[in-house]
Amino acid sequence: QVQLVESGGNLVLPGKSLRLSCVASGFTLSGYAIQWVRQAPGKGLEWVAITWNDGKNEHYADSVKGRFIISIDNSKNTVYLQMNALRPEDTATYYCAREDDPDMVSGYYLGVDVWGHGTTVTVSS
Amino acid sequence: DIVLTQSPARLSVSPGERATLSCRASHHIDSYLAWYQQKPGQAPKLLIYDASYRATGIPGRFSGSGSGTTFTLTISSLEPEDSGVYYCQQRSNWPVTFGGGTEVEI
């Protein structure tokens, strides 16, 4: 069964760090990109970061650039999101999600077809 | 950044009716657009990719159209299970952006 499972969400003080994990099962990361998308309580979706499976290509939202780092461990089929200098506005459910053919070799944008169930991060004193 | 504007913000429709959701991009994005459905307490679900192609397992009543800056998601005959929030997303330029969503109430 193809699935993504996030973990690592917690209550954390402003300014502190937290690392989220996303474990893929039922498929290998080769040929895919994995991204993080977050959703603040009662709000819409906000894209956070993406990494290609070879780790050579990554992008970040301006709101997290310089504070968050996305990384991948292909041997563990796991993607991480290291979140530093956390702010109250980072409070959200964080989803990891799979994007097929991220280089659009097919000529199409295939969308984000597999999503995890999410993990909750609360930044508060 | 490319801004995606969805309208209407909320849509109340009866079962069997047709729903038309709009997504407008602030800049040309070719067809690099996807639509997602999200129900309360659940992760988003891919409905449409590359503006007009149904994702695997998505019923035929869902269709997408458009290119450039104007896109539409149409639900031809609404079922009760179609309630939720619908988001468009562009992947033409970094950063990836989502629209604000349209809430569909059946």
Side-chain angles (χ1 to χ4, degrees):
Chain A
Q1 181 183 2
V2 172
Q3 63 176 351
L4 296 167
V5 179
E6 306 96 332
S7 62
N10 212 333
L11 170 63
V12 61
L13 293 170
K16 297 299 186 181
S17 298
L18 199 62
R19 188 178 80 160
L20 305 183
S21 300
C22 170
V23 179
S25 60
F27 70 101
T28 61
L29 296 176
S30 177
Y32 298 100
I34 300 295
Q35 57 196 271
W36 290 91
V37 175
R38 67 185 181 184
Q39 187 168 36
K43 302 297 184 182
L45 302 172
E46 180 187 14
W47 179 81
V48 175
I50 190 171
T51 183
W52 270 234
N53 78 286
D54 60 7
K56 294 181 180 178
N57 200 359
E58 58 190 46
H59 297 274
Y60 296 90
D62 290 344
S63 59
V64 306
K65 200 173 293 183
R67 298 188 299 125
F68 289 12
I69 301 170
I70 190 170
S71 61
I72 189 167
D73 186 337
N74 284 291
S75 68
K76 296 182 179 179
N77 241 27
T78 300
V79 175
Y80 303 97
L81 185 67
Q82 177 67 42
M83 304 186 295
N84 301 320
L86 281 161
R87 305 166 179 168
E89 55 264 36
D90 295 318
T91 294
T93 296
Y94 285 72
Y95 297 100
C96 69
R98 183 184 85 171
E99 180 179 296
D100 192 4
D101 187 20
D103 293 313
M104 300 189 206
V105 174
S106 63
Y108 302 93
Y109 171 49
L110 300 182
V112 180
D113 65 341
V114 178
W115 295 71
H117 62 275
T119 188
T120 301
V121 174
T122 303
V123 184
S124 175
S125 56
Chain B
D1 296 5
I2 293 177
V3 177
L4 298 179
T5 303
Q6 291 189 242
S7 62
R10 178 172 286 179
L11 192 59
S12 184
V13 291
S14 299
E17 288 187 339
R18 180 187 190 92
T20 302
L21 286 63
S22 173
C23 176
R24 293 182 180 271
S26 60
H27 298 79
H28 195 281
I29 59 170
D30 290 317
S31 60
Y32 301 137
L33 184 110
W35 289 94
Y36 303 87
Q37 176 195 62
Q38 187 180 33
K39 299 185 178 185
Q42 296 184 17
K45 176 183 178 181
L46 177 65
L47 298 175
I48 301 289
Y49 65 90
D50 205 59
S52 61
Y53 297 88
R54 269 191 304 278
T56 303
I58 301 304
R61 63 181 182 274
F62 291 91
S63 64
S65 64
S67 182
T69 61
T70 304
F71 301 86
T72 301
L73 175 70
T74 301
I75 312 172
S76 60
S77 180
L78 279 151
E79 301 282 345
E81 62 265 29
D82 297 335
S83 63
V85 182
Y86 292 77
Y87 296 94
C88 57
Q89 176 221 25
Q90 68 81 23
R91 185 46 168 86
S92 174
N93 288 77
W94 302 107
V96 169
T97 50
F98 287 90
T102 291
E103 183 178 3
V104 174
E105 178 187 60
I106 310 294

